[in-house]
Amino acid sequence: MKKIVFSGIQPSGTLTLGNYLGAVKNWNTLQEEYNCIYSVVDLHAITVRQDPIEFRRKNIEMMALVIACGVDPQKSLVFFQSQVSAHAELAWILNCYTMFGELSRMTQFKDKSLKHKDNINAGLFTYPSLMAADILLYQTDLVPVGQDQKQHLELARNIADRFNGIYGNTFKVPEPYIPKVAAKIMSLSEPDRKMSKSDSNPNGAISLTDNADTILKKFKKAVTDSEGRVYYSEEKQGISNLMSIYSSVSGKSFMDIENEYEGKGYGDFKVGVAEAVIEELAPILEKYNYLLANKDYLEKAYRESAEKAAAFAERTLSKVYKKIGFIK
C-alpha cells in the first residue's frame, strides 16, 4: 500500500512563485509515489471575514490553479474542505482533546491576532484543532510542512497520541514530509523576507497568474546591490535569491549560473531569470485559463474527489464515534 500524503492550501490570494517552487511543484511528483489528498481549505479561510461573492471566486480560482500546477484528479483527491462535513465534525471532537495551553502557545494565533485585532474570534484560536482533523481524518502518513506549519503538525501528533492513549489505536500519528530540495524564495523587493501572496509591495511577489510582461517588469525592479557581479553569498541577499529562483526553474547549479554570467551585469541576469520563470509558468497559466473557461470539467473533478474523500473520512469518523460512545 502506498503511504498517504495530506496537504491543504488556503484560497486567500493567488499562489506565488515562492509557493510553487517551495511546495506546490512537489505535489505533482508526490502523486506518483504516494496516495495524495489535496484540499482547498475554505473552512480555515473564514477566520478572517470574507465577501461571499469574492470568496467563491477565489475558491474556484485556487482549485483551477492547483490542478494547473500538475495535480491530476485521476491520481489524487483534490476537493474543497467544506464539501466533506467530517472535517468540521472531527474538529469539534478534537477541540475537546486539545488543551487550552497548547492552543494559546500557537505562534500563528498570536501573529494573526495582531493583524486582525477587530476580529479575534474563537475559530482563530481553535484553528489548529481543525488542521489536526484535516490530517487525522485520512489516517495520513506524511504531511508536507514548511517552517511555519511545524508547530501545528506537532500539535496534531500530540492530539493523536492523547486520543489513542485514552481509547486505543484510532489515529495514525503523522510524520512531517521534508522535500530533499526545498527552495525558499524571498521577496524581490525585500530579500530578507519570504515571498508572500500578502506582500504589501506588489513588485515583491511573482503571481502564477502574472503575464510575461508583468513578470519581466517585476524582475527588472528586483532589489540587488551595488557590486555588479553575479555570485552566491549570504551577504548578497537579493542576488542570491535570484540565483535560487533561476536554479530552481532551470536545474542549473550556482556554479553554472556564476559561469554563465561571468563578466555580465545585473541587468542581463535579471532578464535571464525572468525569461526562465516565464518559460516555467507559461503552461501553468495556459491550463489555468483553460480550466476557468471549462468549469464543467473543474466541477466534475472536485465533486468526484469530494465524494471519495467523504467516504474515506466517514470510516475514521465512525471509528471515533464508536470509541467515544456516541449512539450510531
Side-chain angles (χ1 to χ4, degrees), residues 281-327:
L281 299 186
I284 294 173
L285 185 58
E286 183 180 354
K287 187 167 184 180
Y288 170 75
N289 289 329
Y290 170 82
L291 290 169
L292 290 182
N294 293 272
K295 288 183 180 172
D296 288 348
Y297 168 81
L298 199 60
E299 183 175 345
K300 182 174 183 289
Y302 65 69
R303 287 197 181 280
E304 287 181 356
S305 283
E307 288 172 7
K308 292 174 185 175
F312 193 158
E314 184 59 34
R315 293 200 294 270
T316 297
L317 192 63
S318 295
K319 191 176 181 180
V320 170
Y321 274 32
K322 184 177 180 180
K323 296 268 189 177
I324 289 174
F326 289 152
I327 305 301

CSV table of all heavy atoms in Angstrom, one decimal, residues 281-327:
chain,number,residue,atom,x,y,z
A,281,LEU,N,6.4,29.1,-16.1
A,281,LEU,CA,5.0,29.3,-15.7
A,281,LEU,C,4.0,29.3,-16.9
A,281,LEU,O,2.8,29.2,-16.7
A,281,LEU,CB,4.9,30.6,-14.9
A,281,LEU,CG,5.7,30.7,-13.6
A,281,LEU,CD1,5.4,32.0,-12.9
A,281,LEU,CD2,5.4,29.5,-12.7
A,282,ALA,N,4.5,29.5,-18.1
A,282,ALA,CA,3.6,29.6,-19.3
A,282,ALA,C,2.6,28.5,-19.4
A,282,ALA,O,1.4,28.7,-19.5
A,282,ALA,CB,4.4,29.8,-20.5
A,283,PRO,N,3.0,27.2,-19.3
A,283,PRO,CA,2.0,26.1,-19.4
A,283,PRO,C,1.0,26.1,-18.2
A,283,PRO,O,-0.2,25.7,-18.4
A,283,PRO,CB,2.8,24.9,-19.4
A,283,PRO,CG,4.2,25.2,-19.0
A,283,PRO,CD,4.4,26.7,-19.2
A,284,ILE,N,1.4,26.6,-17.1
A,284,ILE,CA,0.5,26.6,-15.9
A,284,ILE,C,-0.6,27.7,-16.2
A,284,ILE,O,-1.8,27.4,-16.0
A,284,ILE,CB,1.3,27.0,-14.6
A,284,ILE,CG1,2.2,25.8,-14.3
A,284,ILE,CG2,0.3,27.3,-13.5
A,284,ILE,CD1,3.2,26.2,-13.1
A,285,LEU,N,-0.2,28.8,-16.6
A,285,LEU,CA,-1.1,29.9,-16.9
A,285,LEU,C,-2.1,29.5,-18.0
A,285,LEU,O,-3.3,29.8,-18.0
A,285,LEU,CB,-0.4,31.2,-17.3
A,285,LEU,CG,-1.3,32.4,-17.5
A,285,LEU,CD1,-2.1,32.8,-16.3
A,285,LEU,CD2,-0.4,33.6,-17.9
A,286,GLU,N,-1.6,28.8,-19.0
A,286,GLU,CA,-2.4,28.4,-20.2
A,286,GLU,C,-3.5,27.4,-19.7
A,286,GLU,O,-4.7,27.5,-20.0
A,286,GLU,CB,-1.5,27.7,-21.2
A,286,GLU,CG,-2.3,27.3,-22.5
A,286,GLU,CD,-1.4,26.6,-23.5
A,286,GLU,OE1,-0.2,26.6,-23.4
A,286,GLU,OE2,-2.0,26.1,-24.5
A,287,LYS,N,-3.1,26.4,-18.8
A,287,LYS,CA,-4.0,25.4,-18.3
A,287,LYS,C,-5.0,26.1,-17.4
A,287,LYS,O,-6.2,25.7,-17.3
A,287,LYS,CB,-3.3,24.3,-17.7
A,287,LYS,CG,-4.3,23.1,-17.3
A,287,LYS,CD,-3.5,21.9,-16.9
A,287,LYS,CE,-4.5,20.7,-16.7
A,287,LYS,NZ,-3.9,19.5,-16.3
A,288,TYR,N,-4.5,27.0,-16.6
A,288,TYR,CA,-5.4,27.7,-15.6
A,288,TYR,C,-6.5,28.4,-16.3
A,288,TYR,O,-7.7,28.3,-16.0
A,288,TYR,CB,-4.5,28.7,-14.8
A,288,TYR,CG,-5.3,29.7,-14.0
A,288,TYR,CD1,-5.9,29.3,-12.8
A,288,TYR,CD2,-5.4,31.0,-14.3
A,288,TYR,CE1,-6.5,30.2,-12.0
A,288,TYR,CE2,-6.0,32.0,-13.5
A,288,TYR,CZ,-6.6,31.6,-12.4
A,288,TYR,OH,-7.2,32.5,-11.6
A,289,ASN,N,-6.2,29.1,-17.4
A,289,ASN,CA,-7.2,29.9,-18.2
A,289,ASN,C,-8.1,28.9,-18.9
A,289,ASN,O,-9.4,29.2,-19.0
A,289,ASN,CB,-6.5,30.8,-19.2
A,289,ASN,CG,-5.8,32.0,-18.6
A,289,ASN,OD1,-6.3,32.5,-17.6
A,289,ASN,ND2,-4.7,32.4,-19.2
A,290,TYR,N,-7.6,27.8,-19.3
A,290,TYR,CA,-8.5,26.7,-19.9
A,290,TYR,C,-9.5,26.2,-18.9
A,290,TYR,O,-10.7,26.1,-19.2
A,290,TYR,CB,-7.6,25.6,-20.5
A,290,TYR,CG,-8.4,24.4,-20.9
A,290,TYR,CD1,-9.0,24.4,-22.2
A,290,TYR,CD2,-8.6,23.3,-20.0
A,290,TYR,CE1,-9.8,23.3,-22.5
A,290,TYR,CE2,-9.4,22.2,-20.4
A,290,TYR,CZ,-10.0,22.2,-21.7
A,290,TYR,OH,-10.8,21.1,-22.1
A,291,LEU,N,-9.0,25.9,-17.7
A,291,LEU,CA,-9.9,25.4,-16.7
A,291,LEU,C,-11.0,26.4,-16.3
A,291,LEU,O,-12.2,26.0,-16.1
A,291,LEU,CB,-9.1,25.0,-15.4
A,291,LEU,CG,-8.2,23.8,-15.6
A,291,LEU,CD1,-7.2,23.6,-14.4
A,291,LEU,CD2,-9.0,22.5,-15.8
A,292,LEU,N,-10.7,27.6,-16.2
A,292,LEU,CA,-11.7,28.6,-15.8
A,292,LEU,C,-12.7,28.8,-16.9
A,292,LEU,O,-13.8,29.2,-16.7
A,292,LEU,CB,-11.0,30.0,-15.5
A,292,LEU,CG,-10.2,30.0,-14.2
A,292,LEU,CD1,-9.6,31.4,-14.0
A,292,LEU,CD2,-11.0,29.6,-13.0
A,293,ALA,N,-12.3,28.5,-18.1
A,293,ALA,CA,-13.2,28.6,-19.3
A,293,ALA,C,-14.0,27.3,-19.5
A,293,ALA,O,-15.0,27.3,-20.2
A,293,ALA,CB,-12.4,28.9,-20.6
A,294,ASN,N,-13.6,26.3,-18.8
A,294,ASN,CA,-14.3,25.0,-18.8
A,294,ASN,C,-14.6,24.5,-17.4
A,294,ASN,O,-14.1,23.5,-17.0
A,294,ASN,CB,-13.4,24.0,-19.6
A,294,ASN,CG,-13.2,24.3,-21.0
A,294,ASN,OD1,-14.0,23.9,-21.9
A,294,ASN,ND2,-12.1,25.1,-21.3
A,295,LYS,N,-15.5,25.2,-16.8
A,295,LYS,CA,-15.8,25.0,-15.4
A,295,LYS,C,-16.5,23.6,-15.1
A,295,LYS,O,-16.5,23.1,-14.0
A,295,LYS,CB,-16.5,26.1,-14.8
A,295,LYS,CG,-15.6,27.4,-14.6
A,295,LYS,CD,-16.4,28.5,-13.9
A,295,LYS,CE,-15.4,29.7,-13.8
A,295,LYS,NZ,-16.1,30.9,-13.3
A,296,ASP,N,-17.1,23.1,-16.2
A,296,ASP,CA,-17.8,21.8,-16.0
A,296,ASP,C,-16.8,20.7,-15.7
A,296,ASP,O,-17.0,19.9,-14.8
A,296,ASP,CB,-18.5,21.4,-17.3
A,296,ASP,CG,-19.8,22.2,-17.5
A,296,ASP,OD1,-20.2,22.9,-16.6
A,296,ASP,OD2,-20.4,22.2,-18.6
A,297,TYR,N,-15.6,20.7,-16.4
A,297,TYR,CA,-14.6,19.8,-16.1
A,297,TYR,C,-14.1,20.0,-14.6
A,297,TYR,O,-13.9,19.0,-13.9
A,297,TYR,CB,-13.4,19.9,-17.0
A,297,TYR,CG,-12.2,19.2,-16.6
A,297,TYR,CD1,-12.0,17.8,-16.8
A,297,TYR,CD2,-11.1,19.8,-15.9
A,297,TYR,CE1,-10.9,17.1,-16.4
A,297,TYR,CE2,-10.0,19.1,-15.4
A,297,TYR,CZ,-9.9,17.8,-15.7
A,297,TYR,OH,-8.8,17.1,-15.3
A,298,LEU,N,-13.9,21.2,-14.3
A,298,LEU,CA,-13.4,21.6,-12.9
A,298,LEU,C,-14.3,21.1,-11.9
A,298,LEU,O,-13.9,20.5,-10.9
A,298,LEU,CB,-13.2,23.1,-12.8
A,298,LEU,CG,-12.3,23.7,-11.8
A,298,LEU,CD1,-10.9,23.1,-11.9
A,298,LEU,CD2,-12.3,25.2,-11.8
A,299,GLU,N,-15.6,21.3,-12.1
A,299,GLU,CA,-16.6,20.9,-11.1
A,299,GLU,C,-16.7,19.4,-11.0
A,299,GLU,O,-16.8,18.9,-9.9
A,299,GLU,CB,-18.0,21.5,-11.5
A,299,GLU,CG,-19.1,21.1,-10.5
A,299,GLU,CD,-20.4,21.8,-10.8
A,299,GLU,OE1,-20.5,22.7,-11.6
A,299,GLU,OE2,-21.4,21.4,-10.2
A,300,LYS,N,-16.6,18.7,-12.1
A,300,LYS,CA,-16.7,17.2,-12.1
A,300,LYS,C,-15.5,16.7,-11.3
A,300,LYS,O,-15.6,15.8,-10.5
A,300,LYS,CB,-16.6,16.7,-13.5
A,300,LYS,CG,-16.7,15.2,-13.6
A,300,LYS,CD,-16.8,14.8,-15.1
A,300,LYS,CE,-16.9,13.3,-15.2
A,300,LYS,NZ,-15.7,12.6,-14.9
A,301,ALA,N,-14.3,17.4,-11.4
A,301,ALA,CA,-13.1,16.9,-10.8
A,301,ALA,C,-13.2,17.0,-9.2
A,301,ALA,O,-13.0,16.1,-8.5
A,301,ALA,CB,-11.9,17.7,-11.3
A,302,TYR,N,-13.6,18.2,-8.8
A,302,TYR,CA,-13.7,18.4,-7.3
A,302,TYR,C,-14.8,17.7,-6.7
A,302,TYR,O,-14.8,17.3,-5.5
A,302,TYR,CB,-13.5,19.9,-6.9
A,302,TYR,CG,-14.6,20.8,-7.3
A,302,TYR,CD1,-15.9,20.8,-6.7
A,302,TYR,CD2,-14.4,21.9,-8.2
A,302,TYR,CE1,-16.9,21.7,-7.1
A,302,TYR,CE2,-15.4,22.8,-8.5
A,302,TYR,CZ,-16.6,22.7,-7.9
A,302,TYR,OH,-17.6,23.6,-8.3
A,303,ARG,N,-16.0,17.5,-7.4
A,303,ARG,CA,-17.1,16.8,-6.8
A,303,ARG,C,-16.8,15.3,-6.6
A,303,ARG,O,-17.1,14.7,-5.6
A,303,ARG,CB,-18.4,17.0,-7.6
A,303,ARG,CG,-18.9,18.4,-7.5
A,303,ARG,CD,-20.4,18.5,-8.0
A,303,ARG,NE,-20.9,19.9,-7.9
A,303,ARG,CZ,-21.4,20.4,-6.7
A,303,ARG,NH1,-21.3,19.7,-5.6
A,303,ARG,NH2,-21.8,21.6,-6.7
A,304,GLU,N,-16.2,14.7,-7.7
A,304,GLU,CA,-15.9,13.3,-7.6
A,304,GLU,C,-14.8,13.1,-6.5
A,304,GLU,O,-14.9,12.1,-5.7
A,304,GLU,CB,-15.4,12.8,-8.9
A,304,GLU,CG,-16.5,12.7,-10.0
A,304,GLU,CD,-15.9,12.2,-11.3
A,304,GLU,OE1,-14.7,12.0,-11.4
A,304,GLU,OE2,-16.8,11.9,-12.2
A,305,SER,N,-13.9,14.0,-6.4
A,305,SER,CA,-12.9,13.8,-5.3
A,305,SER,C,-13.5,14.0,-3.9
A,305,SER,O,-13.2,13.3,-3.0
A,305,SER,CB,-11.8,14.9,-5.5
A,305,SER,OG,-10.9,14.6,-6.5
A,306,ALA,N,-14.4,14.9,-3.8
A,306,ALA,CA,-15.1,15.2,-2.5
A,306,ALA,C,-15.9,13.9,-2.1
A,306,ALA,O,-15.9,13.6,-0.9
A,306,ALA,CB,-16.0,16.4,-2.6
A,307,GLU,N,-16.5,13.3,-3.0
A,307,GLU,CA,-17.3,12.1,-2.7
A,307,GLU,C,-16.4,11.0,-2.2
A,307,GLU,O,-16.7,10.3,-1.2
A,307,GLU,CB,-18.1,11.6,-3.9
A,307,GLU,CG,-19.3,12.5,-4.3
A,307,GLU,CD,-19.9,12.1,-5.7
A,307,GLU,OE1,-19.5,11.1,-6.2
A,307,GLU,OE2,-20.8,12.9,-6.1
A,308,LYS,N,-15.3,10.8,-2.9
A,308,LYS,CA,-14.3,9.8,-2.4
A,308,LYS,C,-13.7,10.1,-1.1
A,308,LYS,O,-13.5,9.3,-0.2
A,308,LYS,CB,-13.2,9.6,-3.5
A,308,LYS,CG,-13.7,9.0,-4.8
A,308,LYS,CD,-12.6,9.0,-5.9
A,308,LYS,CE,-13.1,8.5,-7.2
A,308,LYS,NZ,-12.0,8.7,-8.3
A,309,ALA,N,-13.4,11.4,-0.9
A,309,ALA,CA,-12.8,11.9,0.4
A,309,ALA,C,-13.8,11.7,1.5
A,309,ALA,O,-13.4,11.2,2.6
A,309,ALA,CB,-12.4,13.3,0.3
A,310,ALA,N,-15.1,12.0,1.2
A,310,ALA,CA,-16.1,11.8,2.3
A,310,ALA,C,-16.3,10.4,2.7
A,310,ALA,O,-16.4,10.1,3.9
A,310,ALA,CB,-17.4,12.4,1.8
A,311,ALA,N,-16.2,9.5,1.8
A,311,ALA,CA,-16.3,8.0,2.1
A,311,ALA,C,-15.1,7.6,2.9
A,311,ALA,O,-15.3,6.8,3.9
A,311,ALA,CB,-16.4,7.2,0.8
A,312,PHE,N,-14.0,8.1,2.6
A,312,PHE,CA,-12.7,7.7,3.4
A,312,PHE,C,-12.8,8.3,4.8
A,312,PHE,O,-12.6,7.6,5.8
A,312,PHE,CB,-11.5,8.3,2.6
A,312,PHE,CG,-10.2,7.8,3.1
A,312,PHE,CD1,-9.1,7.9,2.2
A,312,PHE,CD2,-10.0,7.3,4.3
A,312,PHE,CE1,-7.8,7.5,2.6
A,312,PHE,CE2,-8.7,6.9,4.8
A,312,PHE,CZ,-7.7,7.0,3.9
A,313,ALA,N,-13.2,9.6,4.8
A,313,ALA,CA,-13.3,10.3,6.1
A,313,ALA,C,-14.3,9.7,7.0
A,313,ALA,O,-14.1,9.6,8.3
A,313,ALA,CB,-13.6,11.8,5.9
A,314,GLU,N,-15.4,9.2,6.5
A,314,GLU,CA,-16.5,8.6,7.3
A,314,GLU,C,-16.0,7.4,8.0
A,314,GLU,O,-16.5,7.1,9.1
A,314,GLU,CB,-17.7,8.3,6.4
A,314,GLU,CG,-18.9,7.8,7.1
A,314,GLU,CD,-19.5,8.8,8.1
A,314,GLU,OE1,-19.4,10.0,7.9
A,314,GLU,OE2,-19.9,8.3,9.2
A,315,ARG,N,-15.1,6.6,7.4
A,315,ARG,CA,-14.6,5.4,8.1
A,315,ARG,C,-13.9,5.8,9.4
A,315,ARG,O,-14.1,5.2,10.5
A,315,ARG,CB,-13.7,4.7,7.2
A,315,ARG,CG,-14.4,4.0,6.0
A,315,ARG,CD,-13.5,2.9,5.4
A,315,ARG,NE,-12.3,3.3,4.8
A,315,ARG,CZ,-12.1,3.7,3.6
A,315,ARG,NH1,-13.2,3.8,2.8
A,315,ARG,NH2,-10.9,4.1,3.1
A,316,THR,N,-13.1,6.9,9.3
A,316,THR,CA,-12.4,7.3,10.5
A,316,THR,C,-13.4,7.9,11.5
A,316,THR,O,-13.3,7.7,12.7
A,316,THR,CB,-11.3,8.4,10.2
A,316,THR,OG1,-10.3,7.8,9.3
A,316,THR,CG2,-10.6,8.9,11.4
A,317,LEU,N,-14.3,8.8,11.0
A,317,LEU,CA,-15.2,9.4,11.9
A,317,LEU,C,-16.1,8.4,12.7
A,317,LEU,O,-16.4,8.5,13.9
A,317,LEU,CB,-16.1,10.4,11.2
A,317,LEU,CG,-16.9,11.4,12.0
A,317,LEU,CD1,-16.0,12.3,12.8
A,317,LEU,CD2,-17.9,12.2,11.1
A,318,SER,N,-16.6,7.4,12.0
A,318,SER,CA,-17.4,6.3,12.6
A,318,SER,C,-16.6,5.6,13.7
A,318,SER,O,-17.1,5.3,14.7
A,318,SER,CB,-17.9,5.3,11.5
A,318,SER,OG,-18.7,5.9,10.6
A,319,LYS,N,-15.3,5.4,13.4
A,319,LYS,CA,-14.5,4.7,14.4
A,319,LYS,C,-14.3,5.6,15.7
A,319,LYS,O,-14.4,5.1,16.8
A,319,LYS,CB,-13.1,4.5,13.8
A,319,LYS,CG,-12.1,3.6,14.5
A,319,LYS,CD,-10.9,3.4,13.7
A,319,LYS,CE,-9.9,2.5,14.4
A,319,LYS,NZ,-8.6,2.3,13.6
A,320,VAL,N,-14.2,6.9,15.5
A,320,VAL,CA,-14.1,7.8,16.6
A,320,VAL,C,-15.4,7.8,17.4
A,320,VAL,O,-15.4,7.8,18.6
A,320,VAL,CB,-13.7,9.2,16.1
A,320,VAL,CG1,-13.8,10.3,17.2
A,320,VAL,CG2,-12.3,9.3,15.5
A,321,TYR,N,-16.5,7.9,16.7
A,321,TYR,CA,-17.8,8.0,17.4
A,321,TYR,C,-18.0,6.7,18.2
A,321,TYR,O,-18.5,6.8,19.4
A,321,TYR,CB,-18.9,8.1,16.3
A,321,TYR,CG,-19.3,9.5,15.9
A,321,TYR,CD1,-18.3,10.4,15.8
A,321,TYR,CD2,-20.6,9.8,15.5
A,321,TYR,CE1,-18.6,11.7,15.4
A,321,TYR,CE2,-20.9,11.1,15.1
A,321,TYR,CZ,-19.9,12.0,15.0
A,321,TYR,OH,-20.2,13.3,14.6
A,322,LYS,N,-17.6,5.6,17.7
A,322,LYS,CA,-17.8,4.3,18.4
A,322,LYS,C,-16.9,4.3,19.6
A,322,LYS,O,-17.3,3.9,20.7
A,322,LYS,CB,-17.5,3.2,17.5
A,322,LYS,CG,-17.7,1.8,18.1
A,322,LYS,CD,-17.4,0.7,17.1
A,322,LYS,CE,-17.6,-0.7,17.7
A,322,LYS,NZ,-17.3,-1.8,16.8
A,323,LYS,N,-15.7,4.8,19.5
A,323,LYS,CA,-14.7,4.8,20.6
A,323,LYS,C,-15.2,5.7,21.8
A,323,LYS,O,-15.1,5.3,22.9
A,323,LYS,CB,-13.3,5.3,20.2
A,323,LYS,CG,-12.7,4.4,19.1
A,323,LYS,CD,-11.8,3.4,19.8
A,323,LYS,CE,-10.9,2.7,18.7
A,323,LYS,NZ,-10.0,1.7,19.3
A,324,ILE,N,-15.8,6.8,21.4
A,324,ILE,CA,-16.3,7.8,22.4
A,324,ILE,C,-17.5,7.3,23.1
A,324,ILE,O,-17.7,7.5,24.3
A,324,ILE,CB,-16.5,9.2,21.7
A,324,ILE,CG1,-15.2,9.8,21.4
A,324,ILE,CG2,-17.3,10.1,22.6
A,324,ILE,CD1,-15.3,11.1,20.6
A,325,GLY,N,-18.4,6.6,22.3
A,325,GLY,CA,-19.6,6.1,22.9
A,325,GLY,C,-20.9,6.7,22.4
A,325,GLY,O,-21.9,6.6,23.0
A,326,PHE,N,-20.7,7.4,21.3
A,326,PHE,CA,-21.9,8.0,20.7
A,326,PHE,C,-22.8,6.9,20.1
A,326,PHE,O,-22.4,5.9,19.7
A,326,PHE,CB,-21.5,9.0,19.5
A,326,PHE,CG,-20.9,10.2,19.9
A,326,PHE,CD1,-20.0,10.9,19.1
A,326,PHE,CD2,-21.1,10.8,21.2
A,326,PHE,CE1,-19.4,12.1,19.5
A,326,PHE,CE2,-20.5,12.0,21.6
A,326,PHE,CZ,-19.7,12.6,20.7
A,327,ILE,N,-24.1,7.2,20.1
A,327,ILE,CA,-25.1,6.2,19.6
A,327,ILE,C,-25.1,6.4,18.1
A,327,ILE,O,-25.4,7.5,17.5
A,327,ILE,CB,-26.5,6.5,20.2
A,327,ILE,CG1,-26.5,6.5,21.7
A,327,ILE,CG2,-27.5,5.4,19.6
A,327,ILE,CD1,-26.0,5.2,22.3
